[in-house]
Each structure stands twice: as C-alpha cells, then as structure tokens.
Amino acid sequence: ETRTALKMSASQLVRRMVLAFFGISVMYLLETTAMAFIPVSLVSFLLYAAGILTIILGCLFLKEGMDVMKALSILIVFGGIGVMFASNAGGGNLRGIVLALLAGSGYSFYIFLTKKWSVPAGLPTLCHLFLFGTLFLGVQLAASGSLVGLRASHLPWIVALAIVPTMGGFYFTNKALSYGPAG
C-alpha cells in the first residue's frame, strides 16, 4: 500500500520538484542567507509579509476574490513594516531585506502552486517534497563547502529541526490549503 501511495505520473513528479524548489530550496536558502544581514525577527516578518503575493496570485489566477479581511491583512502587514522601520527594529540593509522578501516569495509560489495544482495533503506528498528538497539543499550545501563543519553530534538537532518545525509546518500548510483558499 505504501508503494502504491508513493507512485505518481511524470507530471506529478515534476510538480513535486517545482514545489520543493520554491517551498524548500528557495525559501530556506534565501531565508538563512538573509539572517546574515538583518535581524532574525525582521527576516521572519518579511518572509511572511511576502505572503501578500499569495493573496494577489489567488485573486488573479484562482478567482478567490479580494474581501475585507484580505485587504485588512495587507494593510496590517504594511503597517507592521512601517512600525518596524520607524522604530529601527528593522535595522537591516537592503541585501538582507531583498533576500528575505525573495524567500517569502518562494514560499508564496509554493502555496499558490499547491492550491492551483490541487496537490493532496498527506504523507506521500510530504515525502516527495522532502526528498526533492533534501536533494536541492544538499547540492547547495556541498557546493558551499559547509559540509566540512558538520559533526555527528549535530545530527539529532538537524533531525529535530527537520521533523518538528519543517515537516510539521509543511504538513499543516498543505492540510490548511485543502480546506481553504490560497490567500
């Protein structure tokens, strides 16, 4: 039964690869790189502020429509950005800000495409995403020369980070997309 659940067509395979590229590779690579230039709090905020793109894509291509709550959320995000920069909590340079916004845009494309392609939420989808995401990030990690600093003692922490926030986050994001609009 597990083998059957993991089988898919060539187009489904390509779609899972595209989703892993945007949702895992683009998001994580650019998010962690942005943290070298701006505070983590600003990276996190800008990452999810880029979700405005998800609302726009949903309205334009998924016919989700703009409602009062979506418009209000966009205004609140811009208000939050204004407050962060007015209080100098942003404290970041342009390179870090652009990287964080691009990371969020990658995640927005992931959410939009998951909804557009009606990708099912569940363990098989999660396995495919993390298989391809691991391959994409592994190539980037190897190319950066960062593998040299990894130790066996790091493995439990890496596994914990992979399972709890990452896999849990993607699983619940996919599940939520199966119940509501992308925006």
Side-chain angles (χ1 to χ4, degrees), residues 57-81:
L57 290 170
C59 289
L60 292 175
F61 299 104
L62 302 176
K63 309 296 183 230
E64 291 182 352
M66 179 65 71
D67 60 21
V68 174
M69 292 307 290
K70 288 179 185 176
L72 185 60
S73 67
I74 291 172
L75 289 174
I76 290 171
V77 166
F78 281 115
I81 291 170

Side-chain angles (χ1 to χ4, degrees), residues 53 87-88 110 124 135 150 161 170:
L53 178 59
S87 68
N88 203 20
Y110 166 81
L135 292 174
L150 289 177
L161 285 171
F170 275 90

Side-chain angles (χ1 to χ4, degrees), residues 15-117:
R15 287 178 177 184
R16 299 296 198 300
M17 291 173 73
V18 169
L19 291 174
F21 175 75
F22 282 117
I24 296 176
S25 186
V26 168
M27 184 183 74
Y28 284 115
L29 178 67
L30 297 179
E31 175 186 22
T32 54
T33 305
M35 289 178 193
F37 300 101
I38 59 178
V40 173
S41 58
L42 182 57
V43 172
S44 296
F45 185 81
L46 293 173
L47 180 78
Y48 293 107
I52 292 171
L53 178 59
T54 309
I55 294 172
I56 293 167
L57 290 170
C59 289
L60 292 175
F61 299 104
L62 302 176
K63 309 296 183 230
E64 291 182 352
M66 179 65 71
D67 60 21
V68 174
M69 292 307 290
K70 288 179 185 176
L72 185 60
S73 67
I74 291 172
L75 289 174
I76 290 171
V77 166
F78 281 115
I81 291 170
V83 167
M84 287 188 87
F85 284 102
S87 68
N88 203 20
N93 67 31
L94 185 59
R95 185 175 184 185
I97 291 167
V98 168
L99 287 169
L101 288 171
L102 287 173
S105 297
Y107 195 57
S108 290
F109 280 117
Y110 166 81
I111 291 171
F112 166 72
L113 291 172
T114 297
K115 190 68 177 181
K116 180 172 178 43
W117 292 333

Side-chain angles (χ1 to χ4, degrees), residues 107 110-111 114-115 119-123 125-126 129 167-181:
Y107 195 57
Y110 166 81
I111 291 171
T114 297
K115 190 68 177 181
V119 176
L123 194 55
T125 298
L126 203 58
L129 290 175
M167 292 181 92
F170 275 90
Y171 174 80
F172 288 112
T173 297
N174 289 352
K175 199 67 169 163
L177 285 170
S178 68
Y179 292 115

